[in-house]
Amino acid sequence: MHADETVLRLENVQKSFGGLVVLANIDLAIDRGELVGLIGPNGAGKSTLFNVITAIYAPSRGKVWFRDSDITGAQPHRICRLGIARTFQLVRVFPTMTAHENVLVGAVYGSGGRVANASQAATEALDLVGLSARRDVRTAHLTLSDRRLLEIARAVASRPALLLLDEPMAGLNATEIKQMVDVIRRTRNDMGIAILWVEHKVDAIMKVCSRVVVLDHGEKIADGTPHEVATNRKVIEAYLGEPSS
């Protein structure tokens, strides 16, 4: 891995709340255009890791690097403007605004502070996720699936180098999950955006991601190809369980 290819690097990151250690000595690197899955049991520290990367929490110890910049503990809006975008497990959209207006927010306030031709960027992002026909619909009237796609469109419109996806498939049915997988693939392939994807639907992670990272009790217990992770004894014992015979 070459330094100019690395968009995110975590060095010995620890996060504690009082005496509770939620993240312990996490080292992680994400390359440009890479699609990495992040899995683990509930309480493993996945959402806390996202919150440290996006500076909602400052790490108790360690460094967070984005490209060549030390962004440890920087203000969240600066993180976004540098080129890191995210979605949320509990969808966070502006319900009284239209789909296009929601995505326009990402284009205006995203990477660099104002994306050139913001309206065009918003339109292209809606097209990427398949919501062009609903651009003028108020977000309150969209389905859960469409709101999750809208969050991705808003993030993409900010023109990030790195996108953090926090359980985008939660609450979706089989058809909607397939659509979401297609959108995630297009986001990486067509836009060249590196993606770190938290998901409990492990089968989707294993099929789509070239690399999978596993957390358990705040520690990184595996980092490798889907096959390497699926056959890792620590991962099986902590999360996956033995395959059915």
Side-chain angles (χ1 to χ4, degrees), residues 45-72:
K46 304 183 297 297
S47 292
T48 300
L49 186 67
F50 270 23
N51 287 336
V52 167
I53 294 170
T54 54
I56 293 174
Y57 300 149
S60 305
R61 187 174 68 206
K63 295 285 187 180
V64 180
W65 295 83
F66 179 65
R67 293 171 168 160
D68 294 326
S69 300
D70 180 357
I71 62 169
T72 311

Side-chain angles (χ1 to χ4, degrees), residues 127-141:
D127 184 58
L128 177 77
V129 303
L131 289 180
S132 295
R134 298 175 178 85
R135 59 173 284 144
D136 296 320
V137 176
R138 288 189 184 276
T139 307
H141 301 306

Side-chain angles (χ1 to χ4, degrees), residues 14-23 48 51-52 56-58 60:
Q14 178 172 311
K15 180 59 183 175
S16 301
F17 296 96
L20 178 64
V21 178
V22 182
L23 294 173
T48 300
N51 287 336
V52 167
I56 293 174
Y57 300 149
S60 305

Side-chain angles (χ1 to χ4, degrees), residues 6-60:
T6 303
V7 293
L8 178 73
R9 188 170 76 255
L10 308 183
E11 296 178 349
N12 196 33
V13 166
Q14 178 172 311
K15 180 59 183 175
S16 301
F17 296 96
L20 178 64
V21 178
V22 182
L23 294 173
N25 307 319
I26 302 294
D27 292 315
L28 178 66
I30 308 291
D31 281 358
R32 183 177 58 223
E34 196 174 15
L35 177 51
V36 180
L38 180 61
I39 63 173
N42 288 329
K46 304 183 297 297
S47 292
T48 300
L49 186 67
F50 270 23
N51 287 336
V52 167
I53 294 170
T54 54
I56 293 174
Y57 300 149
S60 305

Side-chain angles (χ1 to χ4, degrees), residues 63-113:
K63 295 285 187 180
V64 180
W65 295 83
F66 179 65
R67 293 171 168 160
D68 294 326
S69 300
D70 180 357
I71 62 169
T72 311
Q75 293 180 312
H77 73 271
R78 178 171 174 262
I79 300 295
C80 178
R81 291 189 173 187
L82 285 172
I84 299 178
R86 70 172 294 180
T87 66
F88 294 87
Q89 184 177 350
L90 298 176
V91 179
R92 299 184 184 182
V93 292
F94 303 108
T96 61
M97 295 167 62
T98 67
H100 182 261
E101 289 168 343
N102 265 268
V103 178
L104 197 59
V105 170
V108 170
Y109 292 102
S111 180

Side-chain angles (χ1 to χ4, degrees), residues 165-179:
L165 297 177
D166 195 350
E167 296 195 42
M169 295 181 177
L172 305 189
N173 62 36
T175 300
E176 293 165 342
I177 286 172
K178 183 179 183 302
Q179 181 184 15

Side-chain angles (χ1 to χ4, degrees), residues 18 23-24 33 57 65 81 83 88 126 128 144 147-148 155 198 202 208 215 220:
L23 294 173
Y57 300 149
W65 295 83
R81 291 189 173 187
F88 294 87
L126 285 169
L128 177 77
L144 172 62
R147 291 198 301 271
R148 290 201 178 280
V198 167
V202 178
V208 178
L215 298 184
K220 187 175 79 170

